[in-house]
Amino acid sequence: DQQVKQNSPSLSVQEGRISILNCDYTNSMFDYFLWYKKYPAEGPTFLISISSIKDKNEDGRFTVFLNKSAKHLSLHIVPSQPGDSAVYFCAASFSGSARQLTFGSGTQLTVLP
Amino acid sequence: GAVVSQHPSRVICKSGTSVKIECRSLDFQATTMFWYRQFPKQSLMLMATSNEGSKATYEQGVEKDKFLINHASLTLSTLTVTSAHPEDSSFYICSAKVAPGSPLHFGNGTRLTVT
């Protein structure tokens, strides 16, 4: 049972426009969410996170939105740059558990010049 | 910043042999490290939690006798794939936290190919 889902395996966006990557989760116990970026043959790199007590967190060009009632989070990248082309994973965890992150299946973002 | 180093980045081995993958925290001490596995175009799946000075905790479905984890020091965890078979071919990634509550930092991964 996939507790963290990224339903779009790929997304193409024109340079300078906004990229919106979506993620849904089913476990209401999750209270901490993260986005990671991954290039081929490399490990994931942490991008941005959000706690369930917030509904928005912004860091430069990256903004994560959390809608707890819908169990949905999204990552906005604006403006998108060709160097943003990578696979983006959302991940979730919940406090009090020995388990660590549960990852979504990833979305391949391609930013077209 | 925090760096997690993983070695080797690529390894090709013959079926039946064993392969050791090292994960080091370069500028911090990690009492806990995590080993993930990623199949092509799939998510990262947690295999086990490596605890310094004690036994690793394996996720359901992961064979502990096949994937041996040793965390002998605060900066080094190793994953040994024993008697490797072609179905063990995958991308293995380790990770660690600099401090409680901080995000996981990942190594660059190891591409294992078993022929």
Side-chain angles (χ1 to χ4, degrees):
Chain A
D1 176 33
Q2 238 185 324
Q3 296 190 60
V4 179
K5 299 178 184 179
Q6 292 176 257
N7 292 317
S8 298
S10 63
L11 173 69
S12 291
V13 171
Q14 208 68 39
E15 180 178 6
R17 307 294 286 269
I18 185 172
S19 296
I20 301 176
L21 298 109
N22 294 302
C23 180
D24 298 293
Y25 61 96
T26 57
N27 192 333
S28 57
M29 298 291 288
F30 287 137
D31 59 7
Y32 186 56
F33 305 89
L34 308 90
W35 284 94
Y36 282 84
K37 175 181 179 180
K38 185 181 180 301
Y39 293 113
E42 292 185 13
T45 303
F46 169 73
L47 263 181
I48 192 169
S49 64
I50 188 167
S51 163
S52 61
I53 61 173
K54 292 185 173 183
D55 53 19
K56 176 183 176 181
N57 189 25
E58 191 172 353
D59 183 3
R61 296 186 297 115
F62 302 93
T63 303
V64 56
F65 295 91
L66 176 63
N67 183 331
K68 289 188 292 293
S69 61
K71 296 191 180 67
H72 176 84
L73 66 154
S74 60
L75 174 68
H76 293 210
I77 306 173
V78 56
S80 302
Q81 300 172 354
D84 296 330
S85 298
V87 177
Y88 289 78
F89 289 96
C90 70
S93 68
F94 51 101
S95 54
S97 170
R99 297 175 68 94
Q100 295 304 308
L101 300 179
T102 300
F103 283 86
S105 53
T107 297
Q108 171 70 58
L109 173 66
T110 302
V111 180
L112 305 168
Chain B
V3 177
V4 176
S5 175
Q6 195 171 332
H7 178 80
S9 58
R10 291 178 182 272
V11 58
I12 301 173
C13 70
K14 291 189 175 180
S15 187
T17 60
S18 295
V19 173
K20 180 185 283 188
I21 303 169
E22 292 186 348
C23 180
R24 295 182 185 272
S25 56
L26 294 186
D27 53 2
F28 64 99
Q29 294 183 332
T31 55
T32 304
M33 291 185 176
F34 306 95
W35 287 95
Y36 288 83
R37 181 176 182 177
Q38 185 190 18
F39 291 104
K41 298 185 179 180
Q42 293 190 28
S43 182
L44 287 81
M45 301 300 295
L46 179 65
M47 297 175 65
T49 302
S50 172
N51 304 299
E52 189 269 334
S54 65
K55 290 183 179 179
T57 304
Y58 289 83
E59 295 299 304
Q60 191 174 10
V62 178
E63 298 176 62
K64 60 182 179 181
D65 294 330
K66 179 164 190 62
F67 299 99
L68 300 178
I69 291 174
N70 183 278
H71 196 150
S73 78
L74 288 170
T75 59
L76 174 64
S77 174
T78 61
L79 168 68
T80 302
V81 183
T82 62
S83 186
H85 288 99
E87 58 264 31
D88 298 325
S89 298
S90 190
F91 192 58
Y92 294 87
I93 313 172
C94 69
S95 67
K97 286 190 176 188
V98 174
S102 68
L104 281 177
H105 290 270
F106 287 84
N108 276 337
T110 297
R111 171 69 62 193
L112 171 63
T113 303
V114 184
T115 60

